Amino acid sequence: MAANLERYIFMAKNVNILKGTCSSVLGKRVCQQCLLLRHQSTKIDRNHFLEKGYPLLVIPALSFGLGVWQIQRRQWKLDLIKCLKEKTNLPPIPLPDCLEELDNLEYRRVSVKGIFDHNREVYIGPRSLVDDDDKKGGGLMSDSKGHGFHVVTPFVLRDKPLTILVNRGWVPKAKKDPKTRSWSQVDGEVEIVGIVRKTEVRQPFQPKDIKTDERSFLRRDVEELATKLNTSNVFLDADKYTTLKEGPIGGQTRVTLRNEHLSYIITWFTLSAATSFLWYRRYYRPSSMDSMPDYLRRARAKKP
């Protein structure tokens, strides 16, 4: 009975010390013993938190969150690609009088009437051919269909005091020179339907200078092409119905966006699962198998 009473008094005293209300408190100052015990208690709790490896759980939690975020990003990208494809199938509209409206009309079909100025045509390439059976690819020279160039020609509008740029389509490298395809240089007024395009994003390691010679360019830079040819900053990809028998082949619009979110999803969730398993085996349920140093140490101790 006396032993239990002494234990109770000891525990009560320790609680008061940790709270800073022991009998040795003078005014509002805490005695050195109280400060020492409270410091040791905080240190023990901190060491316990670190020894259990709880800070390491940040890695699986963060990677799991990134995996969920990539799922949302993938769905957003798929919806965007679907929306762009639907735009290219909408009925054509007249070219707006206010060219600033074109900023919100990329991939929309517009109809225009006018005359081609073949004397100022330029070329973008090399590019691979895009047809109905192959709506993917990045314009690489390794394409099985070979490589060629897009023929970009200034187009003088009939009903507006404007000259715009029209990508008439793809021609093989052997037909790049207009002298080899004089039959493709359409004369007179024509009506075409084209898809509104903006400046092409420069790929990594691609040179900043897009010109390869006086009439050839590496990529579609609407502003630079317009400055070079003295036209408005309007660029249309002519649709497939403008295709001529021997070229250019129209309909060279690729509605593709880089979408590697599935691989990112697999990477982040795999990292989360792997680090969670490693934490579980290390801190929550350690392996029952002895390490080789411990086994050898006990084997030596058993020897007479």
Side-chain angles (χ1 to χ4, degrees):
M1 187 74 173
N4 292 334
L5 181 60
E6 290 177 359
R7 182 183 301 176
Y8 174 78
I9 294 173
F10 176 77
M11 293 174 60
K13 184 178 179 180
N14 283 340
V15 170
N16 289 334
I17 289 175
L18 292 176
K19 291 181 178 179
T21 59
C22 67
S23 59
S24 61
V25 176
L26 298 176
K28 294 185 178 180
R29 297 181 60 187
V30 182
C31 68
Q32 294 296 326
Q33 185 180 6
C34 296
L35 293 175
L36 181 61
L37 279 174
R38 291 167 68 181
H39 175 71
Q40 290 177 346
S41 176
T42 304
K43 186 176 181 180
I44 292 172
D45 292 341
R46 188 184 299 115
N47 291 339
H48 176 75
F49 179 77
L50 295 176
E51 288 175 358
K52 289 295 184 180
Y54 292 126
L56 296 178
L57 289 176
V58 173
I59 298 175
L62 180 61
S63 55
F64 182 84
L66 289 172
V68 174
W69 177 62
Q70 286 297 330
I71 291 177
Q72 298 172 350
R73 289 278 298 172
R74 181 175 182 269
Q75 187 58 49
W76 168 80
K77 186 63 69 66
L78 293 175
D79 292 341
L80 179 60
I81 294 174
K82 180 180 178 181
C83 178
L84 295 179
K85 288 183 177 180
E86 290 176 350
K87 274 187 175 183
T88 61
N89 294 322
L90 293 175
I93 60 174
L95 184 70
D97 293 330
C98 180
L99 299 183
E100 293 181 357
E101 296 180 17
L102 293 175
D103 293 338
N104 300 320
L105 293 177
E106 187 174 19
Y107 291 104
R108 276 303 305 267
R109 302 172 69 211
V110 298
S111 59
V112 290
K113 290 183 180 180
I115 301 173
F116 283 113
D117 185 356
H118 299 291
N119 293 327
R120 293 190 289 162
E121 75 175 22
V122 294
Y123 315 99
I124 298 178
R127 288 289 189 273
S128 59
L129 173 64
V130 178
D131 54 28
D132 292 337
D133 298 326
D134 180 20
K135 286 295 183 180
K136 60 183 179 179
L140 300 177
M141 292 184 293
S142 59
D143 192 279
S144 60
K145 298 181 178 67
H147 67 277
F149 294 84
H150 289 176
V151 179
V152 179
T153 308
F155 189 75
V156 183
L157 299 181
R158 184 192 68 175
D159 55 349
K160 293 182 177 65
L162 292 175
T163 301
I164 64 175
L165 298 169
V166 175
N167 174 16
R168 298 180 60 205
W170 181 90
V171 293
K173 184 178 180 180
K175 299 293 183 180
K176 179 181 177 182
D177 188 346
K179 295 179 182 179
T180 63
R181 47 180 175 82
S182 56
W183 28 259
S184 70
Q185 308 299 79
V186 180
D187 294 326
E189 183 177 288
V190 294
E191 180 177 3
I192 63 172
V193 174
I195 297 174
V196 178
R197 303 304 308 274
K198 294 182 180 180
T199 295
E200 188 176 7
V201 178
R202 183 170 72 91
Q203 299 299 322
F205 308 109
Q206 198 173 38
K208 293 183 179 180
D209 188 6
I210 67 171
K211 292 182 64 176
T212 56
D213 58 46
E214 189 63 25
R215 286 180 173 266
S216 300
F217 298 82
L218 288 174
R219 63 181 183 277
R220 183 182 64 252
D221 189 321
V222 178
E223 289 75 15
E224 184 163 344
L225 288 171
T227 301
K228 163 73 176 177
L229 300 176
N230 192 26
T231 66
S232 302
N233 294 340
V234 180
F235 192 102
L236 302 181
D237 278 346
D239 65 11
K240 62 182 180 180
Y241 300 106
T242 63
T243 299
L244 299 176
K245 183 177 181 181
E246 301 296 335
I249 301 175
Q252 297 302 303
T253 303
R254 287 186 174 90
V255 187
T256 57
L257 297 174
R258 183 176 179 179
N259 186 7
E260 298 181 357
H261 297 290
L262 182 59
S263 63
Y264 298 152
I265 291 170
I266 296 173
T267 299
W268 288 122
F269 281 135
T270 301
L271 179 61
S272 178
T275 52
S276 297
F277 176 76
L278 292 174
W279 180 89
Y280 173 80
R281 292 300 303 269
R282 174 65 178 83
Y283 294 102
Y284 188 76
R285 190 178 180 183
S287 175
S288 59
M289 296 181 61
D290 294 331
S291 63
M292 183 59 68
D294 292 338
Y295 175 80
L296 293 177
R297 192 179 300 113
R298 277 197 301 273
R300 293 194 194 97
K302 290 181 181 180
K303 291 183 178 179

